[in-house]
Amino acid sequence: MAETSLTQAEARLEELAAVLPRGHRVLIIPHDFPDPDALAAASALHVLLDKKFGLHSQIAFSGEVSRAENKELLRRLCCRWHRLSDLKNNGAGMNCILVDTAPWSRNVTLPKGARVLAVIDHHEHKRATGRVIPFADIRAGAGATTTLAFEYLKAAGVEPPRWLAAIMAYAIVSETLDLSRETAADDLRAYIELVAHADLRVVGKIRHAPLMRNYYARLQEALAEARTLGSAVWSHLSHVEQPEIVAEVADLLLRMEGMRWSFCTANMSGRIFVSIRSNKSGARCSRMLRAAIGRHGAAGGHDQMAAGYLEVGAATGFEREEKRM
């Protein structure tokens, strides 16, 4: 990493240190359905707080982790994680650090009365709140939040143990489609340093995690329902037990020859989940999906990938525009 970048990282580390409580526990909260990037970044922050600042922290979230690779990654964590519902008083009133999300996003559940000390994220946000966060490091140009967390470890002089280097390296390539999608130079440098110290057996176990039988049933349905129009391909799943399969299908469909756009939708728990993918530069997937869903759900993501959900029965931005025509 360049000297100027390290200086910037050291400055950010000092700013983060200034907002940390002394002698109090900290909750590290990713978004409700955490992916490898969210889980790896949260684990890196947990190690940082322990090794650099002597602070006890816990990783906690509200949703489920159901994708085979993500479940295997959780099994490989050498730090404790919890569901918020299992914590005393659901973690009410605790100091929190959010990773891979922000308090104004609608993809994260915060404990009642939580004090958000810091936000570390790489998503583009259309911030519509006056809420003041003591420390915020939000870099939409970064390919992964894990890259930001790696910079903090490096600035603090904390070498990640081999298990952590493994899940961080995996998270970066997972988030950036093997460094081919929305990747910055810092992502590449972080990956190279991490993979050199990683337990590669852990990476292999995560990448080739065993798949449940119902995964194949959902995949069969998605392929049977797939439709194309020009350079766009899409599919719909009648019902899913977890939303992560929606993103998997969207990723798979985009690999179809000649396709530039893909999306998948699915019904789950009174919501319609949607994932959009594009291999076009400047696709603005996140902005497109936020405009479509509006205030009737939640959406977020990046230029070439986005995901969200719509409450069933709510009118989208596109539908409201059609009614005015």
Side-chain angles (χ1 to χ4, degrees), residues 198-236:
D199 185 341
L200 297 182
R201 292 173 299 178
V202 171
V203 176
K205 291 289 186 181
I206 296 171
R207 188 178 292 276
H208 302 288
L211 299 165
M212 296 182 65
R213 292 186 180 185
N214 65 359
Y215 169 85
Y216 295 96
R218 296 289 170 259
L219 186 60
Q220 181 182 34
E221 179 187 4
L223 296 178
E225 295 296 323
R227 300 291 184 269
T228 62
L229 179 63
S231 60
V233 56
W234 71 93
S235 187
H236 176 72

Side-chain angles (χ1 to χ4, degrees), residues 69 72 76 162-163 165-171 173 191 194-195 198-209:
E69 294 90 334
E72 184 65 27
R76 299 291 168 173
R162 295 185 69 208
W163 68 267
I167 68 170
M168 292 178 74
Y170 175 80
V173 295
Y191 173 74
L194 286 165
V195 78
D199 185 341
L200 297 182
R201 292 173 299 178
V202 171
V203 176
K205 291 289 186 181
I206 296 171
R207 188 178 292 276
H208 302 288

Side-chain angles (χ1 to χ4, degrees), residues 31 33-36 66-70 174-175 177 181 215 218-219 222 233-237 240 242-255 261-268 272-278 289 300-302 304-309:
H31 46 82
F33 296 94
D35 57 9
S66 302
R67 185 168 177 168
E69 294 90 334
N70 300 357
S174 173
E175 188 74 4
L177 200 62
R181 176 179 62 195
Y215 169 85
R218 296 289 170 259
L219 186 60
V233 56
W234 71 93
S235 187
H236 176 72
L237 296 168
V240 296
Q242 46 90 7
E244 293 162 311
I245 186 66
V246 183
E248 288 189 76
V249 170
D251 285 333
L252 178 63
L253 292 179
L254 188 61
R255 296 180 62 182
W261 297 86
S262 72
F263 68 92
C264 180
T265 56
N267 296 319
M268 177 183 165
I272 296 177
F273 283 83
V274 56
S275 283
I276 297 179
R277 300 290 187 267
S278 178
L289 192 56
H302 308 281
Q304 295 177 302
M305 58 184 292
Y309 65 84

Side-chain angles (χ1 to χ4, degrees), residues 28-94:
I28 301 172
I29 304 180
H31 46 82
D32 288 342
F33 296 94
D35 57 9
D37 188 31
L39 293 170
S43 300
L45 263 293
H46 171 83
V47 170
L48 175 71
L49 294 182
D50 177 38
K51 301 298 184 183
K52 177 64 176 178
F53 302 108
L55 283 176
H56 177 69
S57 64
Q58 296 171 295
I59 300 170
F61 53 88
S62 290
E64 298 292 328
V65 172
S66 302
R67 185 168 177 168
E69 294 90 334
N70 300 357
K71 290 170 68 175
E72 184 65 27
L73 189 150
L74 269 182
R75 284 193 285 268
R76 299 291 168 173
L77 295 190
C78 293
C79 54
R80 298 186 65 183
W81 62 273
H82 308 268
R83 288 194 169 80
L84 280 174
S85 59
D86 294 333
L87 298 178
K88 183 179 180 180
N89 298 322
N90 297 326
M94 289 194 65

Side-chain angles (χ1 to χ4, degrees), residues 5-28:
S5 297
L6 185 58
T7 302
Q8 292 173 356
E10 289 172 338
R12 292 190 183 103
L13 182 65
E14 290 182 359
E15 293 176 18
L16 174 62
V19 305
L20 294 176
R22 297 293 180 256
H24 295 280
R25 289 189 304 163
V26 175
L27 275 185
I28 301 172

